[in-house]
Amino acid sequence: MNWDNLRIFLAVAREKSVRGAAADLGVSHSTISRRIDAFEQDLGVRLFERLPDGYVLTPFGEDMLQTARRLEDSVNGLERRVLGQDARLRGGLRVTMPDLLAAKLLMPDLVAFGEDYPDINLEVAISYTPFDLRRREADVAIRITRDPPEPLVGRKIITYARATYASRDYLERHDIEREPESVAWIGWDDRSRHPRWVRDSAYPNAPVRGRLNNALVQLAAAKAGMGLAMLPCFMGDTEPDLRRVPPGLPEPAWDIWILTHEDLRATARVRAFMDFMATAFQGHRDLLEGRLPQR
């Protein structure tokens, strides 16, 4: 049985649609549809029911799914063990991280890594959804989390700080210390009237207006004068158009971890990248912990 057919079958079963599987595997949806049809013809059975709201496994498809998952685990495990023996500082390296870390903190360090290791082809996959390192969706993950999942291994790099920011123009237009009710928070995707991060702030009664669930968009909105934003200090303190809102004290926010699968921990290029980035993070410690004066 062709392993590629099983990979496509698993992708459609996970995503419950041809388009979702195509995006997951990086091919066209017509290719996925054609391969599934041909696979079913070769087997002489129907694996999916084509319904208006997606692909649903038939009883035979459900049975095949269990076996295909075991095969996938075995193949991925073999690939990880082979890669884990690779002592060369060359080849591909796929790293996943949130966009705010790549864009507002680590880009110079990623460039420096490429210059120090020109034979390592670094691929950065931006995502807030955790990639599955067991399935080799990435080799290394830099994650903002308090509880990294098993069986990943690595280290906690630092706990970054956050503070409340607003544009200079916004603070000039609002006497926030005398009239705190005149300001508004830029909301995330928390639907409560006063989320916890508002209740715990110096302005717990300020209304929440708008919902922008991305840190870079929140940053842009604060710079444009939409209102108050709770931002990581490594983002807010480097923006000349932003000021910390009084009292301006940083507070611990989230942990940053650098992780890989346990089978890849001895791979030379994985180890080189993790060590390089751990050192880079330490060079940003004052900025990350909110101790650098605003520029």
Side-chain angles (χ1 to χ4, degrees):
M1 188 175 291
N2 188 325
W3 169 240
D4 281 343
N5 287 337
L6 286 175
R7 285 179 60 246
I8 291 171
F9 165 76
L10 283 165
V12 175
R14 274 192 296 265
E15 300 295 332
K16 296 182 174 56
S17 75
V18 166
R19 290 190 179 277
D24 184 35
L25 297 178
V27 299
S28 70
H29 69 275
S30 60
T31 297
I32 298 291
S33 181
R34 185 172 63 252
R35 292 289 294 272
I36 287 294
D37 290 345
F39 192 27
E40 289 179 328
Q41 289 179 9
D42 290 343
L43 295 173
V45 295
R46 201 163 184 81
L47 299 173
F48 297 98
E49 297 293 347
R50 281 72 164 170
L51 301 179
D53 56 349
Y55 275 47
V56 176
L57 287 164
T58 64
F60 188 87
E62 290 280 3
D63 186 51
M64 175 175 280
L65 180 62
Q66 306 308 315
T67 301
R69 282 174 172 166
R70 289 195 294 271
L71 287 170
E72 181 184 44
D73 289 342
S74 297
V75 171
N76 287 338
L78 177 61
E79 288 180 347
R80 291 194 305 267
R81 289 191 293 276
V82 170
L83 181 58
Q85 304 303 313
D86 193 345
R88 299 169 299 171
L89 287 171
R90 62 168 57 92
L93 183 68
R94 193 166 198 242
V95 180
T96 177
M97 68 182 72
D99 53 2
L100 71 162
L101 289 177
K104 301 303 293 185
L105 185 71
L106 297 179
M107 190 54 65
D109 304 303
L110 296 173
V111 172
F113 177 81
E115 292 173 347
D116 286 357
Y117 298 94
D119 293 328
I120 296 178
N121 183 26
L122 183 64
E123 177 186 354
V124 178
I126 298 300
S127 176
Y128 282 88
T129 303
F131 279 24
D132 190 344
L133 271 64
R134 292 173 298 181
R135 293 176 51 212
R136 295 289 318 283
E137 291 180 346
D139 302 310
V140 178
I142 300 177
R143 289 184 176 167
I144 297 174
T145 181
R146 295 191 180 99
D147 187 22
E150 298 287 349
L152 302 187
V153 295
R155 67 191 93 168
K156 186 179 98 168
I157 300 296
I158 201 168
T159 300
Y160 74 82
R162 66 184 182 184
T164 303
Y165 295 87
S167 70
R168 289 185 298 174
D169 177 67
Y170 189 85
L171 293 176
E172 289 171 0
R173 289 187 286 111
H174 298 81
D175 190 344
I176 192 167
E177 294 189 75
R178 292 185 180 180
E179 298 178 338
E181 68 280 0
S182 67
V183 299
W185 287 92
I186 304 169
W188 283 80
D189 55 0
D190 190 330
R191 295 290 174 180
S192 59
R193 181 170 175 270
H194 287 97
R196 183 191 58 78
W197 45 271
V198 171
R199 295 195 303 269
D200 294 346
S201 73
Y203 305 96
N205 297 317
V208 178
R209 293 179 182 153
R211 301 200 181 276
L212 309 175
N213 65 346
N214 178 281
L216 292 177
V217 178
Q218 284 257 328
L219 175 69
K223 290 169 62 176
M226 182 179 285
L228 312 185
M230 184 76 76
L231 297 170
C233 293
F234 69 83
M235 294 174 64
D237 286 346
T238 58
E239 292 290 340
D241 293 334
L242 292 184
R243 290 291 180 268
R244 287 191 193 179
V245 177
L249 300 176
E251 62 180 50
W254 289 82
D255 301 331
I256 299 176
W257 289 73
I258 185 165
L259 302 159
T260 188
H261 193 279
E262 57 187 356
D263 291 343
L264 302 181
R265 66 197 312 175
T267 305
R269 56 185 179 272
V270 169
R271 190 170 62 248
F273 180 82
M274 293 179 72
D275 290 343
F276 188 98
M277 297 312 297
T279 301
F281 271 109
Q282 294 309 312
H284 299 303
R285 176 174 288 275
D286 286 343
L287 177 62
L288 283 158
E289 295 181 343
R291 289 193 296 271
L292 281 186
Q294 285 188 277
R295 301 170 188 175

